[in-house]
Amino acid sequence: MANFPLHSVESAPEAAKANLQAAEKKMGFIPNIFAKMAEAPALLEAYMALDGIYANTSLSPVEQQAAVLAISADNQCSFCVAAHTGGAKKAGMDDDVIKDLRERNTPNDAKIAAVTRFARHLNVQRGWAEQTEIDTFLEAGFTQQQVLELVIACALKTLSNYTNHMVGTPLNEELKPLAWEAPAN
């Protein structure tokens, strides 16, 4: 694995500094994934912009976090599972649902189960969603708009999960209580 720098605001390329400062202001710390992404300022900008867009979808904050947490667990991204566990808690997700998603189980909550089932399917199928899966998601009370909004969740996790896999992003101290170890294949 190549040794990619873990940038601070001071060491980051000039084009990444404002985004790192914005992340620190919003979160109280710079997530190490952002510190790693800063080596490629366009990647950091793309991730942060897409994350902001995803936050404004018609999916509820809990549904949003459920999708990205489930995808991250399926992709075995320890950093993102920890980060989205924090996001899920902040969004008000039930601890039992979080546990189920981290363990790659189907939660008892029917709406969250539908979101995560479809998000996982979309991720695994690389967008080649089967019509029966789309229909099942729609029958659970979701819309065609939300089918397409989950493409954003997959895109977000492609950007961050792939980056974390390549650069070996360490957990921030703030995320260590939420640590997750990917199961052996």
Side-chain angles (χ1 to χ4, degrees):
M1 183 176 303
N3 186 18
F4 287 82
L6 189 64
H7 283 293
S8 64
V9 172
E10 295 75 29
S11 71
E14 193 61 39
K17 290 179 189 265
N19 280 323
L20 290 180
Q21 289 168 331
E24 187 171 34
K25 182 177 180 183
K26 179 181 177 184
M27 302 169 132
F29 68 100
I30 297 172
N32 285 341
I33 180 59
F34 293 175
K36 291 281 190 174
M37 285 179 167
E39 183 67 13
L43 174 62
L44 177 60
E45 181 180 1
Y47 184 84
M48 291 180 73
L50 193 56
D51 187 52
I53 291 166
Y54 184 57
N56 290 319
T57 64
S58 64
L59 296 162
S60 74
V62 167
E63 293 163 348
Q64 291 171 13
Q65 288 300 315
V68 293
L69 179 54
I71 292 167
S72 295
D74 282 1
N75 289 344
Q76 298 186 340
C77 184
S78 297
F79 186 91
C80 286
V81 169
H84 292 301
T85 296
K89 287 178 179 288
K90 184 177 178 185
M93 187 182 294
D94 183 80
D95 287 340
D96 289 336
V97 174
I98 292 171
K99 182 178 184 287
D100 285 337
L101 295 177
R102 286 170 59 104
E103 293 175 357
R104 299 173 64 201
N105 294 325
T106 302
N108 288 329
D109 182 298
K111 292 287 274 190
I112 299 303
V115 167
T116 57
R117 175 183 167 147
F118 187 70
R120 287 173 163 153
H121 174 74
L122 193 60
N123 182 56
V124 167
Q125 296 300 319
R126 306 294 184 252
W128 295 101
E130 296 172 15
Q131 188 61 50
T132 56
E133 291 294 330
I134 294 170
D135 292 344
T136 299
F137 184 64
L138 295 172
E139 289 165 6
F142 292 96
T143 66
Q144 289 181 335
Q145 175 182 338
Q146 290 166 324
V147 167
L148 297 174
E149 288 172 344
L150 285 174
V151 173
I152 301 169
C154 290
L156 270 173
K157 294 302 90 194
T158 298
L159 291 171
S160 61
N161 295 169
Y162 287 19
T163 299
N164 285 324
H165 293 325
M166 285 190 298
V167 305
T169 309
L171 278 181
N172 295 74
E173 288 300 317
E174 294 86 349
L175 297 175
K176 284 186 179 175
L178 308 172
W180 177 82
E181 189 171 323
N185 284 337

